[in-house]
Structures are given as structure tokens and as C-alpha cells.
Amino acid sequence: MQKYSGQKRMLVATDCIIFGFDGWNIKLLLVQRGLEPEKHKWSLMGGFIQPSESPDDAANRVLELRTGLKNVYMEQFQVFGQPGRDPVERTLSIAYFALIDIHQYEKQLSEEYHPEWFLLDEMPDLIFDHVEMVRLAKRQLRYKAALHPILFQLLPEKFTIPQLQALYEGVYQTKFDDRNFSRKLLSTGLLVKQPEKDKLSSKKGAFYYKLDQSHYEENFESFLNLVPNPEKFF
Amino acid sequence: MQKYSGQKRMLVATDCIIFGFDGWNIKLLLVQRGLEPEKHKWSLMGGFIQPSESPDDAANRVLELRTGLKNVYMEQFQVFGQPGRDPVERTLSIAYFALIDIHQYEKQLSEEYHPEWFLLDEMPDLIFDHVEMVRLAKRQLRYKAALHPILFQLLPEKFTIPQLQALYEGVYQTKFDDRNFSRKLLSTGLLVKQPEKDKLSSKKGAFYYKLDQSHYEENFESFLNLVPNPEKFF
DNA sequence: GTAAATTCTTGTAAAATCGACACTAAATAA
DNA sequence: TTATTTAGTGTCGATTTTACAAGAATTTAC
């Protein structure tokens, strides 16, 4: 194999900010780092890109290895590459954020790395520049979710409108008008009403809905307006 | 220096899709590749990241080296990292797009690498996966410009509303209603009217405007609506 | 077993925004 | 002086958004 001479190679990793939603709060999945330096300190889930892998492959492999989950919504959002960010040696990190249904995860939990969920405002100190990664991932999540229906990925297959609203309110840390929210949501045509109600979280009970999958994929690019004045939140 | 053992290092480059606007059409600045393989074939402007540089530093250095331009609007938008994308050896590329005032460029042109401007639909074959990079950069440009006032970066300091409209029409390959466009634009409060008119491109002459720089920076995150039904164009 | 309480969902009306089209104004060319 | 071109403002109806009200389905309290 030919080589480009006189150039310095470097390690490249992926790190993934994994968001989950437990019905009340947004959470973040963290692990304790398994190797020196900073061993046992909390960290995002990451790993080095292998020779046969694309960055997306690597991010998916790491996610599956650590959580057992496949086919997760994941999006590359930024490269972190300050020369000194990893004190051991020059390492570039491609940051992803992933959205998973927290309950689906609990069943498939991989025990080996004992990951834990943290509330966003109870996050421990993280290694390297991971705090900054989380900050930008939150920002990116707010940005993207203001325009596109990605937050559905955090809910189970069947969910109620009040659940979805609680999720939006968690992401934007504010209250929305219930009446307008549900009407806007239904007018998108993304939801398919189910015959059953969820009777756990309220007296009256709210009907379950599913995503209209084909409609969802077709209209993923078009802009929603579930969040009034989204620029206020960036 | 400690090392992570058992991991494969790789080359990391930046490639930059440079957009310009000549008053009528959007153009792309390309160079002929200076090293084997594919020497002399057309290519985006790129270069390897050096040990002391962040990816942003590298992208700016390459841009200045090739065009003489500093302080250019530039945005990282995607990592390209398929294992076989560079046949010589594993190379990751962090893709940026840049927006420059084509006339300002012409004066500072660096002759060494004889770059050339190409119309988007008269683009030559490019090396590696650069055609795909350009495709995604165009898409990203349309996406971002539908929401945020980035296209101003392609115009000189003083410009007219019809010029700006021509630019938007070039990006989206469509006609907008002149009357609605200018009214929307003025209502953003981003523009400061100048006393002089541009008398070159029309009989009546259109007033020059400048960007209100502080207003521009403050409101960069808020969403515009200069492009009706933007989702149609993605 | 009835009334009160909770909360999900549909209604309504005012306000703001958007888009289609008309028209005026400024300058030049003939 | 008149015709021509084109920049920019006006108007109005349609649509969308927001704020606030009321109705409907349950469950709990007594």
C-alpha cells in the first residue's frame, strides 16, 4: 500500500451522547471509563474507530456493545479535535447523539460496563471535554427538535399526547398550552389513534397513539412548529 | 508520552466546499490536485490536519493558503470516513463549507495552485468522494440559508435587495415574488439603507444596503422566512 | 350513589402572518 | 416629452397562531 509521507496519523474515536426519557425527565447515559488515565471517572460512551469501520459503524458498534440496542436514532453532530483534549495522545472524537426509549433499554442492559442514567442537572464531572460535548448536544437536540419530529424516538411505540408534551416541556424547560399543543400535533397527520387508553397517569386516561411510519419518513424534512418561538431557547 | 496501545492511527484531512456568487450564479472553487494519485484531477481544497492544529485551524489555514482569504464564514458539516474513500491509505475527511465574496477573492488570488471557479452544473469530475461532498454541501447550504441569514456572506459589504434576491433565487433555483421578498427582508431589521444607489444593473437604480452587524450577530440564531416552503427544496 | 375533582380533548374568536396581485416612483432612452 | 424599465410600497383575503372557554370521561370522597 502506498502512503502519504511526512504526515502525522492520529487516533479517531466516536463519543455518543445518549438521551433517554423516563416519562418525567430527560436523562443521560454515562459509563465509568475502563482504561487509564481517568479510569473509573464518568464518561460518554465512546471507542476508537477500527480500520474496517466508517465513523457511523463505530458509533453503532459502541452503542450496541454498551447498551445492547440496535437501530437507534443517531446523528453525527460535531468533531472535537483540540490538540490537547486527550492528554495521552492526539485523539479526534466524532460526537454523536442518540435518542432511545429508556424502558426498552432497561430490559437489554449490558451489565459489563455498569452504565447509569443521570438527570441533566445532576451530571457528575466528566473526562476530557465531555462536558462541552454534552452542552452542545443539548443545544443541537433543542435545535433539531424544534424543526423535526425527532423526539418521538425517546418514547415507546405507543404513547399519549400528554406524554409527548411532557417530553417537549422537559427538553425546553417550559410549559406549553395543552390545548394548542395537542391540536398542533394532531394536525401534522403524523399520529394514528389507537383504540386503548393509558389509564396509569391520569383519571380520565389519554388515548394511545402510534407514529404513522410512512408519513413520518416522508415528512421528516418538512418543518414543524410544535415549539413556539424556538429561538428563545438556544 | 503515554500511548493507547493496539489501536490504529489514521490520517485526518479537512476539505472545504467554497461557494461564491458572481451576481448571477453560484460557483464553486476547485483546484487541481497537486499530488499522486489522481494528480491534476480536480478536487476540493483540502489538507491534512497538523499536530498543533484543531480541525477548524486546519480548514482556515488551507483556505488562506489557497485563496489568501481570512475571516471567512465557514462551517463544519460532516465527516466523511468510509474506509476505502482514499485508495492510498485510510484517511478521514472533515468537510467544511465556506461562503466568500467572489470579487473580494479575485483580488487576492493565490496563483500557485491555479484554482478555478465552476458553475454548479458545469462541475468536472472530482477525486474520491468529493462529488458527494459537494452534493451534501449544497443541501446543507439550502437548509441553513432557509433558516438563517448566511447568504449575506456571499455578497460585498454593500449590496442591493435585487442582488440578494438573485442570490436566493440562484441557491433555490426558482423565482421569488420581488415585492414580497423585499418587504420580508426589510422587516427583519437586518439592513441599513445607504444613501447611494447602484446604477449599473438597472435604470432606476436600487439603494445599497449594509448589514447591521450587531443586529445580525444577535439575531443569527432566530429563524427567518425569506424562502417560502423551504422543505420543497431538500 | 351523588357530587367534586382531575385532566384530556374539542371550540372559538382575535391577532398575526403570508402570499397574490396592483400600483407608484425613479430614472433613462428615444 | 413620452415610453420603458424596474425598485419598492400598498392592499386585501386566506391561512396560521395564540389565548382562553367549555365539554367530556373518569375516579375519588363522603
Side-chain angles (χ1 to χ4, degrees):
Chain A
M1 197 193 217
Q2 280 176 277
K3 295 275 184 183
Y4 296 109
S5 58
Q7 298 296 336
K8 191 88 179 158
R9 279 97 190 139
M10 61 185 91
L11 285 169
V12 184
T14 63
D15 282 300
C16 192
I17 294 93
I18 303 170
F19 292 105
F21 180 67
D22 64 6
W24 294 270
N25 295 292
I26 314 286
K27 293 184 169 179
L28 210 60
L29 193 60
L30 300 173
V31 281
Q32 287 185 292
R33 184 170 157 93
L35 71 171
E36 294 294 351
E38 312 250 34
K39 196 169 176 176
H40 301 311
K41 204 169 161 186
W42 291 100
S43 154
L44 295 169
M45 294 194 182
F48 296 113
I49 297 179
Q50 301 303 311
S52 63
E53 290 177 326
S54 70
D56 288 5
D57 293 339
N60 280 296
R61 172 179 55 76
V62 170
L63 187 67
E64 189 185 350
L65 178 71
R66 299 293 178 96
T67 68
L69 290 173
K70 280 185 188 182
N71 297 118
V72 163
Y73 181 88
M74 191 149 62
E75 196 176 313
Q76 180 195 301
F77 78 98
Q78 169 109 244
V79 175
F80 291 79
Q82 285 297 99
R85 57 176 292 281
D86 184 327
V88 178
E89 68 171 286
R90 181 78 195 263
T91 306
L92 222 67
S93 174
I94 305 173
Y96 288 78
F97 72 88
L99 306 179
I100 74 179
D101 171 6
I102 206 166
H103 299 106
Q104 190 186 346
Y105 164 77
E106 281 173 341
K107 294 173 205 146
Q108 305 191 17
L109 193 141
S110 143
E111 290 301 335
E112 190 178 356
Y113 299 94
H114 34 275
E116 271 181 42
W117 289 103
F118 288 86
L119 289 170
L120 287 182
D121 47 11
E122 294 177 5
M123 213 174 66
D125 244 13
L126 302 179
I127 61 162
F128 305 163
D129 51 2
H130 286 197
V131 170
E132 177 68 0
M133 287 186 183
V134 171
R135 191 180 71 78
L136 290 172
K138 281 159 60 180
R139 185 188 158 94
Q140 181 64 19
L141 180 66
R142 284 186 167 189
Y143 187 93
K144 183 98 187 201
L147 300 169
H148 302 287
I150 56 173
L151 296 185
F152 293 92
Q153 305 295 332
L154 288 163
L155 293 172
E157 194 190 2
K158 291 195 298 190
F159 53 87
T160 67
I161 293 180
Q163 278 169 22
L164 186 63
Q165 184 176 343
L167 172 53
Y168 271 86
E169 292 179 345
V171 169
Y172 294 98
Q173 289 293 297
T174 189
K175 282 287 299 171
F176 298 122
D177 184 290
D178 311 1
R179 304 164 282 196
N180 292 332
F181 187 86
S182 65
R183 199 152 14 74
K184 272 185 181 179
L185 192 56
L186 290 171
S187 76
T188 62
L190 287 169
L191 300 188
V192 183
K193 195 172 195 165
Q194 303 303 111
E196 328 89 73
K197 280 186 167 187
D198 163 41
K199 305 302 291 288
L200 298 172
S201 45
S202 81
K203 297 178 180 177
K204 179 179 172 184
F207 280 104
Y208 280 115
Y209 288 84
K210 280 188 184 175
L211 262 187
D212 178 337
Q213 204 60 39
S214 63
H215 196 292
Y216 177 70
E217 283 158 23
E218 276 168 29
N219 293 73
F220 188 79
E221 294 288 3
S222 49
F223 296 131
L224 289 184
N225 182 26
L226 295 175
V227 183
N229 303 317
E231 53 265 44
K232 194 166 70 181
F233 303 106
F234 300 145
Chain B
M1 195 194 219
Q2 281 177 275
K3 295 276 183 182
Y4 295 112
S5 59
Q7 297 296 336
K8 191 86 180 160
R9 280 99 190 135
M10 61 187 92
L11 286 170
V12 185
T14 64
D15 283 300
C16 191
I17 293 93
I18 303 170
F19 292 106
F21 180 65
D22 64 6
W24 294 269
N25 295 291
I26 314 288
K27 293 183 170 180
L28 209 61
L29 193 60
L30 301 173
V31 281
Q32 285 185 292
R33 183 171 158 93
L35 71 172
E36 292 294 349
E38 311 249 34
K39 195 168 178 177
H40 302 311
K41 206 171 161 185
W42 291 100
S43 154
L44 295 169
M45 293 194 183
F48 295 113
I49 297 179
Q50 301 303 310
S52 62
E53 289 177 328
S54 70
D56 289 4
D57 292 339
N60 281 295
R61 172 180 54 76
V62 170
L63 188 66
E64 189 186 349
L65 178 70
R66 299 295 177 95
T67 69
L69 289 172
K70 279 187 188 181
N71 297 117
V72 162
Y73 181 88
M74 191 148 63
E75 196 175 315
Q76 180 194 301
F77 77 98
Q78 168 109 244
V79 175
F80 290 79
Q82 285 300 352
R85 56 176 293 280
D86 183 327
V88 178
E89 69 171 286
R90 181 79 196 261
T91 307
L92 224 66
S93 173
I94 305 174
Y96 288 77
F97 72 88
L99 306 179
I100 73 178
D101 171 4
I102 206 168
H103 300 105
Q104 190 186 346
Y105 163 76
E106 282 173 341
K107 295 174 205 146
Q108 304 190 17
L109 192 142
S110 144
E111 289 302 335
E112 189 180 353
Y113 298 94
H114 36 274
E116 270 180 43
W117 288 104
F118 288 87
L119 288 170
L120 287 182
D121 48 11
E122 293 176 7
M123 213 175 67
D125 243 13
L126 303 178
I127 62 163
F128 305 165
D129 51 3
H130 286 198
V131 170
E132 178 68 0
M133 288 186 182
V134 171
R135 191 179 72 78
L136 291 172
K138 281 158 59 180
R139 186 188 157 94
Q140 181 64 19
L141 180 65
R142 284 187 167 188
Y143 187 93
K144 183 99 187 202
L147 300 168
H148 303 288
I150 56 172
L151 296 186
F152 292 92
Q153 306 295 333
L154 288 163
L155 292 173
E157 195 191 1
K158 292 195 298 191
F159 53 87
T160 67
I161 294 179
Q163 277 169 22
L164 186 63
Q165 184 175 343
L167 172 53
Y168 272 85
E169 291 179 344
V171 169
Y172 294 98
Q173 289 292 299
T174 189
K175 281 288 298 171
F176 298 123
D177 185 291
D178 312 0
R179 304 162 284 194
N180 292 333
F181 187 86
S182 64
R183 196 152 17 74
K184 274 184 179 179
L185 191 56
L186 291 171
S187 75
T188 61
L190 286 169
L191 301 188
V192 183
K193 195 172 194 164
Q194 302 303 113
E196 328 90 71
K197 281 187 165 186
D198 163 40
K199 304 302 292 288
L200 298 173
S201 44
S202 80
K203 296 179 180 175
K204 179 177 173 184
F207 280 104
Y208 281 115
Y209 288 84
K210 279 188 185 176
L211 262 187
D212 178 337
Q213 204 60 39
S214 65
H215 196 292
Y216 177 70
E217 282 159 24
E218 276 169 29
N219 293 75
F220 188 79
E221 294 288 2
S222 49
F223 296 132
L224 289 184
N225 181 26
L226 295 174
V227 183
N229 303 315
E231 54 266 46
K232 195 166 68 181
F233 302 106
F234 303 145

